[in-house]
Amino acid sequence: MYLAIREMRFAKGRYALIATIMVLVSFLVLFVTGLAQGLSYDNAASIKNMAATHFVLEQDSNHRFTRSQVGQQELDEARAVVGRDNAEPLGVRMTTVSPADDTKKIDVTLFMVNPGSWLAPTVTEGNAINDQSAGQVVVDRKLAKSGVTIGTVLVDQASGTEWTVSGFVQNESFSHAPVVFMNEQEWLTLQAGSRTVQATSVIGRVDTGTGTGTSAIAKANTDATGTEKSAEAVMGTSTPSVSPSTVYNAIAVKGTDEQVSKLSAALPKTEIITKSDAVSAIPGYKEEQGSLLMMIAFLYVISAFVLAVFFYVITIQKTSQFGILKAIGTRNGYLAGSVSLQVLLLSVGSLVISVLLVRLFESVLPASMPFQLGISTLALTCVLFILMSMAGSLFSVWKVTKIDALDAIGRTAA
């Protein structure tokens, strides 16, 4: 230790340059790690916040909620296996809404949950919804940045359904879109509204195809006997109404591995996935995280490579000094430990400065940039960085052990 610290004090400029580079690299590692964690949470916060252990989805849905449809029968069978309180229906739909008094369009994710269940989020402002709340929803706080307040009326662009915001929740998002929570009654109304829009679209296309406008429909509404028929009878459909049977996208389950095995046997035409599987199946999640993790891995490799090059060059420059120390009886272990200690001190010092810088940047980052760097993630990142730094010093340690004292002294004399 004496030799390592004495040398660092003597060559302050050289080691300050190495320390600066290590601070920049370690800061970048910590910052990208925090960004990756923040984006991961923002992409799937609502799913990660749920107490569910597994989800029941339709078979061949590729683990995606939006591709799955399950009904009351599957829900009843799930509750029979894991218990009534441990299985809850979940509806998921991506859509676009606009405030009633504004033309601004906002992409959101609609979640249908039973109010009061363990799937329902905690309302941080305003009033929560219940089973009898008609036309009311609670929304994520992010919508407040778009001018949404308690009492704002949101209009669904796809179905024309209107909802009044009764409260706000915190940190609830899906696929980077804020979540709007509604009860089953509103979910039924939304499904009926969507069918109405589809039926109207079909009638409009037929009307346009005849080229005669409303007269063509009026003509078609009269049969051969002159008796008028309804437009619904002509189109082969009727005006949809709210169905008593709801179609869900998934069933959230809290259960043991044994219960999940029984559930798989009871529902052979479904697929049961874990929470991590559901998160990974969110569109773009794996691609986004894969890119960031690759960047982080390259940063670790770069840090190890930079340290290896710097210390190898320094070791070559000090070959004669190492040779003299060996000639007077200094052991290889002492010299190798001196080099390793220098790397360790530089790594720890640069990490301390980097952590302070990251926390400073975190405090001034805009809320629109998701950033998360928890204690456990921070500790793991620091440990990995130190290990990679020490690995980068092994080449210099090997070089020190291979230095021949006589050759080094001979070169010095020459």
Side-chain angles (χ1 to χ4, degrees):
M1 179 178 291
Y2 173 79
L3 178 62
I5 296 176
R6 186 65 181 267
E7 186 179 6
M8 291 177 68
R9 290 177 59 186
F10 177 76
K12 298 183 182 67
R14 178 188 299 172
Y15 287 96
L17 178 61
I18 301 175
T20 301
I21 295 175
M22 291 185 68
V23 167
L24 294 175
V25 175
S26 58
F27 170 78
L28 193 55
V29 169
L30 291 172
F31 187 81
V32 176
T33 301
L35 187 61
Q37 292 293 317
L39 288 171
S40 172
Y41 184 73
D42 185 71
N43 204 350
S46 293
I47 303 300
K48 291 184 176 182
N49 292 340
M50 291 180 179
T53 58
H54 296 79
F55 294 93
V56 179
L57 276 67
E58 184 182 8
Q59 199 171 31
D60 299 326
S61 62
N62 200 24
H63 296 184
R64 292 191 179 182
F65 293 127
T66 53
R67 295 180 180 178
S68 170
Q69 287 189 340
V70 293
Q72 187 65 40
Q73 180 180 354
E74 288 81 3
L75 178 60
D76 292 339
E77 292 184 7
R79 285 175 169 173
V81 174
V82 300
R84 182 172 183 83
D85 294 334
N86 293 328
E88 288 291 337
L90 175 65
V92 180
R93 176 181 292 190
M94 309 287 292
T95 190
T96 302
V97 298
S98 295
D101 56 350
D102 197 350
T103 59
K104 183 184 298 181
K105 295 184 178 181
I106 309 170
D107 292 328
V108 300
T109 303
L110 305 178
F111 268 34
M112 188 286 297
V113 298
N114 286 328
S117 69
W118 46 268
L119 279 184
T122 302
V123 176
T124 57
E125 182 182 349
N127 300 318
I129 57 175
N130 53 49
D131 293 328
Q132 284 72 42
S133 297
Q136 293 187 345
V137 293
V138 293
V139 303
D140 183 67
R141 171 66 62 182
K142 290 180 182 177
L143 287 178
K145 300 174 185 176
S146 300
V148 176
T149 60
I150 295 177
T152 298
V153 177
L154 300 178
V155 182
D156 180 31
Q157 296 288 301
S159 64
T161 308
E162 296 184 355
W163 305 293
T164 301
V165 177
S166 66
F168 286 106
V169 294
Q170 194 74 24
N171 297 327
E172 295 290 346
S173 56
F174 181 88
S175 192
H176 293 304
V179 172
V180 174
F181 290 91
M182 61 182 59
N183 58 22
E184 186 169 334
Q185 177 183 346
E186 291 304 314
W187 185 254
L188 284 165
T189 303
L190 177 64
Q191 290 178 336
S194 297
R195 289 193 293 269
T196 302
V197 171
Q198 292 172 359
T200 304
S201 176
V202 171
I203 294 174
R205 288 197 299 271
V206 172
D207 185 19
T208 303
T210 61
T212 58
T214 55
S215 60
I217 295 181
K219 206 169 175 184
N221 283 351
T222 305
D223 59 14
T225 61
T227 304
E228 289 190 358
K229 298 184 292 182
S230 65
E232 290 84 358
V234 174
M235 296 306 300
T237 184
S238 59
T239 303
S241 59
V242 177
S243 169
S245 178
T246 311
V247 175
Y248 311 112
N249 293 99
I251 299 171
V253 173
K254 288 195 299 184
T256 62
D257 292 338
E258 182 180 354
Q259 289 176 323
V260 171
S261 299
K262 293 180 180 179
L263 190 58
S264 299
L267 298 171
K269 295 184 179 180
T270 63
E271 57 183 26
I272 302 176
I273 63 174
T274 62
K275 184 189 292 188
S276 59
D277 291 334
V279 170
S280 298
I282 295 175
Y285 181 88
K286 289 191 294 186
E287 293 78 6
E288 178 183 88
Q289 291 298 304
S291 299
L292 291 171
L293 290 176
M294 183 175 293
M295 291 174 58
I296 295 171
F298 272 109
L299 286 173
Y300 280 123
V301 174
I302 290 171
S303 64
F305 182 78
V306 168
L307 272 176
V309 171
F310 265 95
F311 274 90
Y312 183 71
V313 171
I314 292 175
T315 302
I316 293 176
Q317 292 175 342
K318 297 188 299 182
T319 300
S320 58
Q321 289 91 331
F322 283 130
I324 294 172
L325 288 172
K326 283 190 175 184
I328 61 176
T330 306
R331 298 189 306 269
N332 280 330
Y334 181 83
L335 296 176
S338 175
V339 174
S340 300
L341 181 60
Q342 289 177 348
V343 175
L344 181 62
L345 291 175
L346 288 173
S347 300
V348 173
S350 63
L351 280 172
V352 171
I353 298 174
S354 299
V355 170
L356 295 176
L357 289 175
V358 166
R359 292 307 185 191
L360 177 62
F361 270 76
E362 184 180 2
S363 64
V364 299
L365 284 176
S368 58
M369 180 180 289
F371 187 91
Q372 269 194 352
L373 193 61
I375 299 300
S376 58
T377 304
L378 178 63
L380 178 61
T381 304
C382 291
V383 169
L384 288 176
F385 185 82
I386 291 174
L387 290 177
M388 291 300 295
S389 299
M390 298 304 295
S393 68
L394 293 178
F395 197 44
S396 298
V397 170
W398 173 81
K399 180 64 176 176
V400 169
T401 60
K402 294 299 181 181
I403 293 175
D404 183 80
L406 294 177
D407 288 343
I409 294 173
R411 282 196 297 272
T412 302

